[in-house]
Amino acid sequence: MGAAAGDRTRVPHVTTLTPMAELRLEDIVALCKRRGFIFPASEIYGGFANTYDYGHYGVLLKNNVKGEWWRAMIQERDDIVALDSAIIQNPKVWEASGHLAGFTDPLVQCLGECKKRWREDHVREQELGDEHAEGKIVCPQCGGELSEPRQFNLMFETYVGPVHDESDRAYLRPETAQGIFINFKNVLSFARRKPPFGIAQIGKSFRNEITPGNFIFRTLEFEQMETEFFVPPVEASQWHEHWMEERMRWYTDLGIRPDQLRLRAHGPDELSHYSSATSDIEYLFPMGWSELEGIANRGDFDLTQHAKLSGEKLEYVDSGSGDRFVPHVIEPAAGVDRAMLSFMVDAYDVEEVEGRERTVLRLHPRLAPVKAAVLPLVNKDGQPQKAREIYEELRRLMSAEYDTGGSIGKRYRRQDEIGTPWGITVDHQTMEDDTVTLRDRDSLDQSRIAISELAEELTRRLGEPWTSPKLGAAA
Ligand code: GAP
């Protein structure tokens, strides 16, 4: 019989090299390119501003982020239902929501040499320390004079049908939320729900952003994960509190270090036109504290507006008492791409192991694109066949890889960089006693385990609570 997991063979000496403060966004960009997570879009044509393509590991990681969000919203609760609404809706939706009139940014143009366009609020923030500060600002690139600001709508326009008439104009949605509000009545009747209840949706949104966006932090198209939670008006504040706590917990349960996260309440001059209170969950990215997710109390703004323009009654009527009210809405609105970026930034580490440098993504195992890599030590003596057998068995349960290319050290480095938590090595001993080496990505602990126990052991580890090994590590 083989040895059980936990028979430690050896743990190498490790020195951490890259404290968080020194991490640059470019390091993440380089890793994403090197390992096929994310590429600049239209690269062979010189790229396309603020647009990216996701490669194999990027897709897997992104799917895991979305999977964890669905788990928290649907699987672990019984008061939320799912929706997948259309991206192009009747333009009246955007009239009712206020996006046609008010979804604008103040745009200024350089009148000097470079003629670049900027968001006025961003330049004020950068040059005067506050986006609302009065005072002279100049072009951040060439120091030229700036034009007077003009309001610029962020919605992408398109035309439905062959004629480009005003009457055929439509918009790509700038948020998934409105698709939810206009389905309120459907869900109320067909899902037989009663407030408090929520409708959750993940999908692409589009914004004609003017300013460069720090990699995938701000892009022209992006995915949102939004829940509109409909509540009796008197319960709105208490549900707002509930959702702030729940959403902070989601990030920390998935391994984000609590000291890299904060909740920041919007000041009165920052609030969106629909919101009576909003708090942002912010993450300490390499470029500073920046918004990951907004949690807004939208009141009855959206249902009232859509009722007004559509002529439909959008309210809840209690079938017993006949009481009726327009529910208030609490909205946790997150970005998939931003969440993914924060998980990668938080997980990134460079350390020295016995004199050699290794880069490692210490992702939560549930987020890791690949959970287990099965590697034959040498490409002979029946080891590749044995490794393939183990891989075939494991991949029925979790995302796994079988890798024979290059030296074992090189293959481990590759797996460390994509964040694979467990490496399984088939060696000469495997051929004698049906045990393998199980290597832990973070501790580098290597133990021998019977092949017959491997699947159960990895499934157990995947289900366990996890905290980042960077927590408490010397920064
Ligand atoms: N329905 C409310 C709403 O859309 P928001 O704060 O504008 O609120 C919610 O967007 C989240 O969507 C943001 O916190 C961010 O994570 C993500 N997001 C917004 N604009 C983005 C962009 N241009 N690129 C990437 N993510 C974006």
Side-chain angles (χ1 to χ4, degrees), residues 8-23:
R8 287 169 56 163
T9 45
R10 71 186 205 77
V11 183
H13 177 72
V14 173
T15 325
T16 297
L17 284 182
T18 305
M20 190 63 188
E22 291 170 19
L23 176 65

Side-chain angles (χ1 to χ4, degrees), residues 64-320:
N64 292 342
V65 170
K66 291 188 272 185
E68 289 303 321
W69 189 84
W70 280 127
R71 180 207 294 269
M73 289 295 166
I74 306 283
Q75 192 177 323
E76 293 176 352
R77 304 181 65 107
D78 40 30
D79 53 3
I80 299 185
V81 296
L83 180 78
D84 189 354
S85 69
I87 285 173
I88 301 177
Q89 301 274 3
N90 187 316
K92 282 218 149 99
V93 170
W94 311 112
E95 195 183 328
S97 68
H99 283 85
L100 265 176
F103 193 51
T104 54
D105 279 338
L107 179 74
V108 288
Q109 184 165 14
C110 173
L111 302 173
E113 239 170 71
C114 75
K115 308 283 184 247
K116 264 192 93 161
R117 297 191 176 93
W118 305 93
R119 262 179 65 174
E120 185 198 17
D121 51 337
H122 286 181
V123 181
R124 288 197 179 277
E125 166 98 51
Q126 197 179 317
E127 293 182 8
L128 307 175
D130 181 344
E131 62 180 278
H132 302 288
E134 301 280 336
K136 188 173 166 58
I137 50 174
V138 292
C139 174
Q141 184 150 302
C142 70
E145 288 276 318
L146 291 173
S147 69
E148 283 300 308
R150 72 179 169 86
Q151 293 302 321
F152 166 80
N153 197 298
L154 271 71
M155 282 200 294
F156 279 106
E157 290 178 9
T158 186
Y159 292 87
V160 177
V163 190
H164 282 199
D165 269 352
E166 183 70 10
S167 59
D168 297 318
R169 187 184 293 160
Y171 301 91
L172 303 190
R173 70 178 173 203
E175 61 172 18
T176 58
Q178 297 304 323
I180 296 180
F181 295 124
I182 59 176
N183 275 286
F184 170 75
K185 210 173 159 191
N186 285 336
V187 174
L188 203 59
S189 46
F190 294 109
R192 286 176 290 113
R193 295 286 160 169
K194 174 180 178 193
F197 77 93
I199 305 177
Q201 159 153 248
I202 296 183
K204 279 238 168 162
S205 292
F206 304 81
R207 295 183 190 177
N208 197 357
E209 303 276 5
I210 314 158
T211 40
N214 287 316
F215 194 33
I216 56 168
F217 180 83
R218 182 175 292 109
T219 48
L220 303 184
E221 56 179 278
F222 52 97
E223 279 186 280
Q224 289 188 304
M225 313 185 273
E226 298 198 287
T227 295
E228 306 304 324
F229 201 77
F230 301 92
V231 303
V234 290
E235 295 177 18
S237 309
Q238 123 201 11
W239 280 106
H240 194 210
E241 290 293 322
H242 167 88
W243 279 108
M244 289 192 278
E245 261 171 46
E246 280 296 295
R247 296 303 303 149
M248 287 290 277
R249 195 162 58 82
W250 186 79
Y251 290 102
T252 53
D253 280 358
L254 287 172
I256 298 269
R257 291 160 299 161
D259 60 354
Q260 305 295 305
L261 270 187
R262 72 179 186 193
L263 255 178
R264 190 185 63 79
H266 281 203
D269 51 353
E270 261 183 289
L271 289 174
S272 310
H273 58 280
Y274 52 74
S275 169
S276 58
T278 297
S279 285
D280 286 343
I281 296 181
E282 295 185 334
Y283 179 75
L284 186 51
F285 286 98
M287 63 276 188
W289 287 102
S290 311
E291 175 188 341
L292 256 189
E293 166 162 357
I295 300 156
N297 180 348
R298 296 180 78 119
D300 62 2
F301 176 84
D302 303 273
L303 290 182
T304 306
Q305 281 293 105
H306 286 300
K308 216 187 281 173
L309 265 88
S310 68
E312 289 279 348
K313 277 212 161 90
L314 299 177
E315 57 184 15
Y316 171 72
V317 184
D318 189 291
S319 55

Side-chain angles (χ1 to χ4, degrees), residues 397-411:
L397 300 170
M398 60 192 69
S399 152
E401 262 188 15
Y402 166 72
D403 188 1
T404 57
S407 72
I408 191 78
K410 205 167 154 204
R411 280 178 277 161

